Amino acid sequence: MADDYVRRTAITRLEVTDEQRDLLEETITEWKRGCQIATDMAWGECNAKSDVQPLAYDTVREHTDLGSQHAILATHQAAQAITGCLKRRSKGKKVSKPTFTAPTVKYDTRTLTLFDDDTVSLSTTESRIRCDLALPDADDGYQRQYLDADEWSVTESTLTARDGDYFLHIGFRRHKTDAERNTAEDGTVLGVDLGIENLAVTSTAYFFSGRELAHDLREFEKVRAGLQQTGTRSAHRTLERSSGREFRYVRDVLHQASNAIVDEALRYDCDIIAFEDLTYIRDRTGASWGHTWAFRTLYEQVEYKAEAVGVSVKQVGSAYTSKRCTECGFTADENRPTRNHFCCQKCESEANADYNAAKNIGMRYVRRGQQSSRRTGDSQLALKSGTVTPSDGFTAHPEGFEAEFTDKPHPQSAEGA
């Protein structure tokens, strides 16, 4: 069962030769073409994932240079994209046929092999290539806890090309322990909102600024664009060094942010950290590819660090979390007049917009427990000055916690909340 596993992703850059680079680029091109062929054939014809492979496999093999296993994976990728569209359509959202433009390729245990000497073998359109993993010099780099531990096994992974570099997102999984299977889902919840201006904001009013990260990512983009335009071998070497520096810098920022979020959860004795569903965060925030990668990496870091201290990490739906008032529940576009400011048009409650969203995310998880047959509905949302539940309302922390105006209950309007 999929739910019986703990899953993690370890990201590392590959050291590749010019010949290997050409093979990987060709494989990426053929992968995108294979996914598109399968999607074009199955769109409007298939309503189940299992229907796409028998329909499209032979055509993908005939019209691309993908090997047999990569052709199968391409039909699976198409099926996943199509069923995602069907799910959104069932909720009344407009959808269009998926297109595949991202420079990625999926790998599984038949097309990828990790070796003990920190190299990886990858299938390409012509042959398998063997590359070095550009791992941190330190033996305690975060990838080591998965690469060097017998309990973690490799699962589906993703190769991503970015500005001349190739990053391998290696999927790992292990069986859950008995304690992890039996962990109760009720408890105190910390809500977390992710964004550009503020990389992370918690329901306890902890703000981790994203301004410096956003600025530096833009500067890195400018440097890369100039070096790519130059096109010389020297510029290419400089580009590789620049990308490595960027990767290490962003990784360091994300480690600081993930540590801060887990520390906040421990400070307020939280059992669960709730994030919004990251599936559509790029559409919601207008994030660049780099920021989207940063959000997902931050989530993964929080997940494994929180698990180590007994805190669960969950995702909830993100719809209207930025436009709903946490005080009275009124939802409207006008509630968020600017990126940073939230002002309810009904009860006139005001707050930082990201902080309001963080509380909505946490409260959505709390409310979910009231409908779940597996939980008792005893969850509560952690705030800076106390806790709140949908049924019992606000309970202040003992003295020593400074109350915030936005955590205090507001008078209900004549019509009710």
Side-chain angles (χ1 to χ4, degrees):
M1 292 176 56
D3 289 342
D4 197 41
Y5 291 99
V6 175
R7 299 177 185 274
R8 296 290 183 268
T9 302
I11 305 171
T12 182
R13 186 169 57 84
L14 298 181
E15 299 282 3
V16 298
T17 65
D18 289 342
E19 181 181 357
Q20 290 172 337
R21 184 185 306 277
D22 292 341
L23 287 173
L24 290 176
E25 285 297 329
E26 175 66 18
T27 304
I28 289 171
T29 299
E30 293 299 285
W31 168 263
K32 291 189 289 186
R33 196 145 65 94
C35 292
Q36 198 62 58
I37 289 171
T39 300
D40 292 344
M41 294 183 67
W43 185 252
E45 300 292 331
C46 299
N47 294 318
K49 287 184 178 180
S50 58
D51 295 339
V52 180
Q53 181 180 331
L55 173 69
Y57 171 78
D58 289 339
T59 304
V60 172
R61 285 283 283 151
E62 181 180 354
H63 293 282
T64 72
D65 291 329
L66 294 175
S68 58
Q69 188 61 22
H70 260 142
I72 292 172
L73 293 175
T75 65
H76 293 176
Q77 184 77 1
Q80 183 178 351
I82 291 170
T83 52
C85 287
L86 295 176
K87 185 177 180 180
R88 293 195 294 276
R89 180 185 290 169
S90 69
K91 296 180 179 180
K93 297 181 179 180
K94 293 182 179 180
V95 298
S96 56
K97 183 173 67 175
T99 57
F100 295 85
T101 58
T104 64
V105 182
K106 292 288 186 182
Y107 281 87
D108 63 3
T109 54
R110 294 187 179 184
T111 51
L112 176 153
T113 305
L114 283 176
F115 295 97
D116 292 338
D117 62 353
D118 295 335
T119 62
V120 61
S121 172
L122 300 169
S123 293
T124 69
T125 51
E126 292 187 20
S127 61
R128 290 185 78 100
I129 60 173
R130 189 158 175 172
C131 311
D132 288 324
L133 301 177
L135 295 167
D137 293 335
D139 291 337
D140 59 352
Y142 91 101
Q143 296 98 335
R144 288 294 178 194
Q145 64 187 298
Y146 309 116
L147 291 168
D148 298 343
D150 292 338
E151 65 266 26
W152 291 98
S153 59
V154 177
T155 59
E156 189 171 278
S157 305
T158 303
L159 177 75
T160 297
R162 184 184 178 198
D163 300 321
D165 281 322
Y166 298 88
F167 294 93
L168 192 59
H169 297 233
I170 310 171
F172 289 92
R173 74 178 187 182
R174 65 165 172 78
H175 284 285
K176 288 182 178 178
T177 64
D178 290 341
E180 288 168 334
R181 293 189 191 96
N182 297 328
T183 297
E185 291 188 308
D186 291 316
T188 303
V189 179
L190 181 74
V192 180
D193 178 68
L194 302 179
I196 307 297
E197 184 79 8
N198 293 298
L199 178 60
V201 179
T202 71
S203 59
T204 54
Y206 178 85
F207 287 73
F208 192 97
S209 176
R211 291 181 183 179
E212 184 176 351
L213 176 64
H215 173 268
D216 288 337
L217 284 174
R218 287 194 298 269
E219 291 302 310
F220 281 128
E221 290 292 339
K222 291 178 184 178
V223 171
R224 279 198 300 268
L227 291 171
Q228 286 174 319
Q229 190 172 11
T230 301
T232 63
R233 183 172 293 274
S234 175
H236 177 71
R237 288 196 296 268
T238 304
L239 176 61
E240 288 186 337
R241 290 195 297 271
S242 174
S243 296
R245 285 195 301 271
E246 176 188 357
F247 183 76
R248 290 190 295 273
Y249 164 75
V250 174
R251 172 71 62 183
D252 182 62
V253 172
L254 298 179
H255 271 300
Q256 294 177 42
S258 58
N259 286 338
I261 292 170
V262 174
D263 288 346
E264 195 74 357
L266 294 175
R267 180 188 176 201
Y268 287 88
D269 200 22
C270 295
D271 305 282
I272 301 107
I273 300 174
F275 287 81
E276 65 179 292
D277 186 341
L278 302 185
T279 305
Y280 307 111
I281 194 168
R282 187 170 185 176
D283 296 333
R284 182 183 70 76
T285 63
S288 65
W289 186 95
H291 255 109
T292 305
W293 169 80
F295 293 148
R296 298 188 184 281
T297 304
L298 176 60
Y299 176 85
E300 290 165 359
Q301 290 185 1
V302 171
E303 190 175 33
Y304 78 75
K305 291 177 182 179
E307 180 191 76
V309 293
V311 178
S312 300
V313 180
K314 305 291 183 180
Q315 292 188 32
V316 298
S318 60
Y320 307 113
T321 52
S322 64
K323 301 174 183 178
R324 184 183 189 278
C325 177
T326 56
E327 304 297 339
C328 72
F330 180 67
T331 304
D333 291 343
E334 295 76 15
N335 283 353
R336 191 168 184 173
T338 67
R339 176 189 290 271
N340 295 325
H341 188 59
F342 184 92
C343 181
C344 181
Q345 302 302 297
K346 184 177 181 181
C347 74
E348 299 183 351
S349 171
E350 295 187 56
N352 175 278
D354 295 333
Y355 175 50
N356 180 77
K359 291 199 289 185
N360 274 324
I361 290 166
M363 185 55 74
R364 182 157 292 178
Y365 185 86
V366 170
R367 287 196 175 93
R368 201 166 74 178
Q370 297 179 324
Q371 287 83 40
S372 173
S373 60
R374 297 175 58 193
R375 295 164 59 193
T376 65
D378 287 340
S379 294
Q380 56 188 357
L381 175 65
L383 304 174
K384 183 175 182 179
S385 55
T387 59
V388 65
T389 66
S391 56
D392 298 329
F394 177 78
T395 302
H397 285 309
E399 290 186 10
F401 288 85
E402 182 182 355
E404 287 184 294
F405 173 77
T406 48
D407 283 351
K408 296 177 181 178
H410 284 253
Q412 299 295 324
S413 63
E415 294 80 16

